[in-house]
Amino acid sequence: MATASCLQSEDQFLCPICLDLLIDPVSTPCGHNFCKNCITKHWDISDKCQCPMCNKMFDKKPEMRVNTFISEMVAQFRQSAQQKASSSSSSSEQQVFKAGEVPCDVCTETKLKALKTCLVCLTSYCETHLEPHLTKSGLKRHQLIDPVENLEDRMCPKHDKPLELFCKTDHTCVCMLCHVSDHKMHDVVPLKEGYEGKKAELGKTEAEIRQMIEEKQKSIRRVQRNVNYSEKHAEEEIELGVKVFTTLMQYFKRNMACLLNTIEDKQKTIQKQAEDFIKELEQEISELKKRSSEVKQVTHSEDHLHFLQNIPSLKVAPPTKDWTEFSIPPSSYEGTVVRAVVQLEETLSKVIKELLRADLKAFQRYAVDVTLDPDTAHPTLILSDDGKQVSHGNVKKNLPDKERFSHSICLLGKQSFSSGRFYFEVQVKEKTKWTLGVARESINRKENIQLSPQWGYWTICLRNGNEYSALNVPRVSLSLKSQPQKVGVFVDYSEGLVSFYDVEAPALIYSFTGCSFTEKLFLYFGPCPNDGGKNSAPLIISTIMSSSGSVNRGSVSRGSVRRGSVRRGSVRRGSVRRGLNCEL
């Protein structure tokens, strides 16, 4: 009974507007009690002056004065509640307000820890002061949440009402008055519904972010794998380079020493011959001087008999050789250095061929299975059924003209490439004219085209049977030792590299470097006019065999090459090293 009486008296001290204990209670002429601030604000925003409880109308706004009796009763009840809370807190220390916790807004002396915050009352309550919200039917409808601070942020700054709605149109929280004024035609829902909707959206966003993070992490792992591959490949290239150049330098030193020894030996031989010649001449000179002395003695003799008796012996020729036909050969060093350099050039040529052969073998790892696209072919071109051969015919066919070259006698491959590396080979045997290379997707196919990188073409060509050129700006004439029968084309999209090789020589024909590729690349084939049969041989896409003897068809599909579809691998060049050791 005491508890019921207490609860009944407490119910009498609640303001019907804020549903909290009365603060500065005032009474209307009809006998109802309100907080002075609550009833004043209510009448300020209302068009009519009436009691919120019984709706009694007043002609004019009554003069509100604080009801001292009710105010004292509320003060006594508040003091009693605080004493009860103090006694409760003494038996439970964990309810005392601590730093970092939300205090009870009702406690006046010892602040207790708030258990809940009422979004309707905009007040935080401890266990004692929360009891009315748990027992009174009117207060049970209030929304209770875990205790929070800064409740003023939950009030509408314009209407001083709780923000209990969410405007989906403007994505902002509003009060009831905002809903009927500024947001009347907007999609407005309760805060709970807006919370659940936005929470679901954030859940999707979080899932998308997690997926993006996973993709970025995969990219990091892929880049790291590429870096590791690059480091390994760089180490192998450094090892090979050091091996090759060390061997070459040793070979150069040996040949230089041999050249110097040869010249020195020749010089020593000549020197020996000259010394022997001079020695023999000096001996003959000595004999002649002796004879000259004897002649002088006889000439100065006054003895007639002695003079005449020695003349016959003096007329005998001294024992000397005929040196008129004898000579020391001049230096024969001319051509020695040239011959040595020619020998070096031949050796270097062999080394370069071995390296190129290894490179071409490595490029076969990037070989792709490509076919010709009949939809791009000039109407006079003839294609094989398997799409591997093309030649020029004399009859112009009536064909759809959407993607087709209208003026230039050429066509593209079906497959496109937008990343990575790729390699293919084309047989050009018995042709007097041809053009090969790659072209970007946006090239002009309807007018006379200019083959150059500026217009999206990276190509080389043959004209007049033996004139090779790289179609750069300006055009580069190529001097080849032999006529290629099969041309290999290697493209590194990211490095901006297009290289052409004579497969059988083997030899590098030409390289476009520093290219900037931003579009898909297609293979470009130009068989050129047949010249009355002189150039009737077809361009043939070769089938590249792997080291195991199987056909390397790659993993290219029409339209694009997916990144990573071409297998990367290090170049094994043990044969090159062995070849260098044997050759040098």
Side-chain angles (χ1 to χ4, degrees):
M1 294 298 292
T3 302
S5 176
C6 178
L7 292 175
Q8 183 179 8
S9 62
E10 180 182 356
D11 195 20
Q12 293 175 351
F13 299 142
L14 296 178
C15 173
I17 296 178
C18 68
L19 300 178
D20 200 355
L21 290 176
L22 291 166
I23 299 176
D24 296 333
V26 294
S27 300
T28 60
C30 55
H32 295 102
N33 298 317
F34 303 93
C35 294
K36 183 177 181 180
N37 187 46
C38 292
I39 190 63
T40 301
K41 288 185 177 181
H42 176 74
W43 282 341
D44 288 342
I45 62 176
S46 178
D47 297 335
K48 300 177 181 179
C49 185
Q50 61 182 10
C51 177
M53 292 295 294
C54 63
N55 294 328
K56 179 177 178 59
M57 298 292 297
F58 303 108
D59 296 335
K60 60 180 181 177
K61 186 183 298 185
E63 182 179 356
M64 296 284 97
R65 293 185 179 180
V66 176
N67 190 322
T68 56
F69 175 74
I70 299 298
S71 179
E72 291 176 358
M73 294 295 293
V74 171
Q76 291 178 5
F77 177 79
R78 193 185 300 274
Q79 184 177 5
S80 175
Q82 290 177 350
Q83 291 175 355
K84 181 179 179 181
S86 298
S87 61
S88 176
S89 63
S90 61
S91 62
S92 180
E93 294 183 359
Q94 68 271 17
Q95 292 185 1
V96 178
F97 164 68
K98 300 177 181 178
E101 296 177 339
V102 179
C104 175
D105 293 330
V106 181
C107 296
T108 57
E109 295 181 358
T110 302
K111 288 287 185 180
L112 301 182
K113 174 184 175 181
L115 297 183
K116 294 290 181 180
T117 296
C118 178
L119 296 180
V120 178
C121 304
L122 295 179
T123 305
S124 297
Y125 298 102
C126 63
E127 182 179 2
T128 301
H129 295 124
L130 181 64
E131 186 176 354
H133 280 77
L134 303 177
T135 57
K136 297 300 180 180
S137 58
L139 297 178
K140 284 182 178 181
R141 295 192 296 269
H142 289 194
Q143 183 178 358
L144 298 176
I145 62 172
D146 291 336
V148 295
E149 295 181 314
N150 301 324
L151 290 175
E152 60 273 10
D153 294 340
R154 298 176 177 269
M155 297 293 292
C156 175
K158 184 175 181 180
H159 302 105
D160 201 22
K161 290 290 183 181
L163 298 172
E164 49 189 341
L165 300 174
F166 179 72
C167 178
K168 300 172 69 175
T169 304
D170 292 338
H171 302 283
T172 185
C173 297
V174 297
C175 68
M176 293 297 296
L177 293 181
C178 291
H179 178 33
V180 298
S181 57
D182 299 338
H183 302 264
K184 185 175 183 180
M185 303 303 295
H186 292 181
D187 185 7
V188 178
V189 297
L191 282 180
K192 184 178 181 180
E193 182 178 343
Y195 161 79
E196 292 175 349
K198 288 297 182 182
K199 186 176 181 180
E201 291 180 7
L202 287 178
K204 293 181 180 178
T205 301
E206 183 182 4
E208 293 174 356
I209 292 175
R210 285 199 302 269
Q211 183 177 357
M212 292 173 63
I213 292 173
E214 184 177 354
E215 291 176 355
K216 301 298 182 185
Q217 290 175 340
K218 287 181 179 178
S219 298
I220 291 175
R221 291 193 293 270
R222 183 174 64 251
V223 170
Q224 189 60 50
R225 286 195 301 269
N226 291 339
V227 170
N228 294 337
Y229 159 76
S230 178
E231 289 179 354
K232 182 179 179 181
H233 188 65
E235 290 174 358
E236 292 179 351
E237 289 296 313
I238 291 173
E239 180 184 357
L240 176 61
V242 171
K243 178 71 175 181
V244 170
F245 281 95
T246 301
T247 305
L248 288 174
M249 285 188 292
Q250 292 174 352
Y251 178 74
F252 290 159
K253 289 180 179 179
R254 289 199 304 270
N255 279 265
M256 183 176 67
C258 181
L259 174 64
L260 295 178
N261 290 334
T262 300
I263 296 175
E264 288 176 357
D265 290 343
K266 287 185 177 181
Q267 179 60 27
K268 288 179 180 179
T269 301
I270 294 174
Q271 184 71 27
K272 181 67 169 54
Q273 291 177 350
E275 289 176 354
D276 294 341
F277 174 62
I278 293 171
K279 183 177 181 180
E280 191 169 352
L281 286 176
E282 287 178 345
Q283 289 178 353
E284 292 185 359
I285 291 172
S286 178
E287 292 294 331
L288 291 174
K289 287 182 177 180
K290 182 178 179 182
R291 177 63 60 90
S292 176
S293 177
E294 292 175 353
V295 170
K296 286 181 179 181
Q297 288 179 2
V298 173
T299 303
H300 291 87
S301 174
E302 296 294 335
D303 187 346
H304 299 160
L305 178 62
H306 181 264
F307 176 82
L308 293 174
Q309 287 178 344
N310 286 285
I311 286 178
S313 62
L314 295 175
K315 289 185 177 180
V316 178
T320 59
K321 294 182 179 180
D322 184 8
W323 296 98
T324 57
E325 301 297 330
F326 180 82
S327 64
I328 297 297
S331 60
S332 57
Y333 311 134
E334 292 81 358
T336 303
V337 176
V338 174
R339 287 192 296 272
V341 172
V342 169
Q343 186 177 359
L344 286 176
E345 183 181 9
E346 292 175 353
T347 303
L348 285 175
S349 179
K350 292 179 182 179
V351 173
I352 292 172
K353 284 186 177 181
E354 289 294 333
L355 293 174
L356 286 172
R357 189 173 289 111
D359 279 340
L360 288 174
K361 186 177 180 181
F363 292 158
Q364 291 179 358
R365 297 175 180 270
Y366 308 101
V368 290
D369 184 24
V370 291
T371 52
L372 302 170
D373 187 356
D375 293 336
T376 63
H378 187 272
T380 59
L381 292 179
I382 302 173
L383 277 69
S384 62
D385 293 337
D386 61 358
K388 296 290 187 178
Q389 302 184 25
V390 59
S391 59
H392 180 246
N394 295 318
V395 179
K396 186 174 183 179
K397 299 178 287 294
N398 186 13
L399 299 171
D401 196 31
K402 184 178 181 181
E403 299 179 354
R404 194 174 306 281
F405 285 92
S406 301
H407 291 78
S408 299
I409 302 175
C410 59
L411 76 166
L412 302 177
K414 283 185 179 180
Q415 294 75 19
S416 65
F417 305 85
S418 57
S419 63
R421 302 173 176 180
F422 59 94
Y423 174 77
F424 62 96
E425 294 177 353
V426 180
Q427 179 177 309
V428 297
K429 187 177 181 180
E430 298 179 357
K431 292 192 66 64
T432 59
K433 295 180 180 181
W434 52 259
T435 306
L436 283 177
V438 294
R440 67 189 180 201
E441 184 177 23
S442 63
I443 55 175
N444 186 354
R445 309 180 189 184
K446 301 305 176 186
E447 300 175 0
N448 289 327
I449 59 178
Q450 181 178 354
L451 297 177
S452 69
Q454 180 181 358
W455 299 102
Y457 299 88
W458 293 266
T459 58
I460 63 172
C461 71
L462 167 65
R463 296 292 184 267
N464 301 323
N466 59 0
E467 297 177 2
Y468 294 91
S469 300
L471 301 179
N472 208 332
V473 180
R475 176 177 293 205
V476 180
S477 296
L478 304 175
S479 178
L480 306 184
K481 293 183 178 180
S482 61
Q483 289 191 329
Q485 304 298 304
K486 184 183 292 185
V487 177
V489 183
F490 175 72
V491 179
D492 189 326
Y493 193 97
S494 59
E495 291 294 331
L497 172 68
V498 182
S499 295
F500 299 86
Y501 294 87
D502 182 343
V503 177
E504 297 179 354
L508 174 64
I509 299 175
Y510 187 78
S511 288
F512 291 91
T513 58
C515 308
S516 178
F517 300 133
T518 58
E519 302 179 19
K520 294 178 180 179
L521 295 181
F522 291 84
L523 278 59
Y524 178 88
F525 300 85
C528 299
N530 58 25
D531 285 346
K534 296 180 181 180
N535 189 40
S536 60
L539 289 176
I540 304 175
I541 299 176
S542 300
T543 300
I544 300 176
M545 305 297 292
S546 66
S547 58
S548 61
S550 60
V551 178
N552 190 349
R553 298 190 179 277
S555 57
V556 183
S557 60
R558 171 164 182 158
S560 65
V561 175
R562 291 177 296 176
R563 187 179 297 275
S565 61
V566 182
R567 188 167 74 93
R568 293 176 177 263
S570 60
V571 180
R572 298 184 181 273
R573 293 179 175 171
S575 60
V576 178
R577 296 188 179 95
R578 290 192 296 273
L580 285 175
N581 291 333
C582 294
E583 293 287 344
L584 305 184

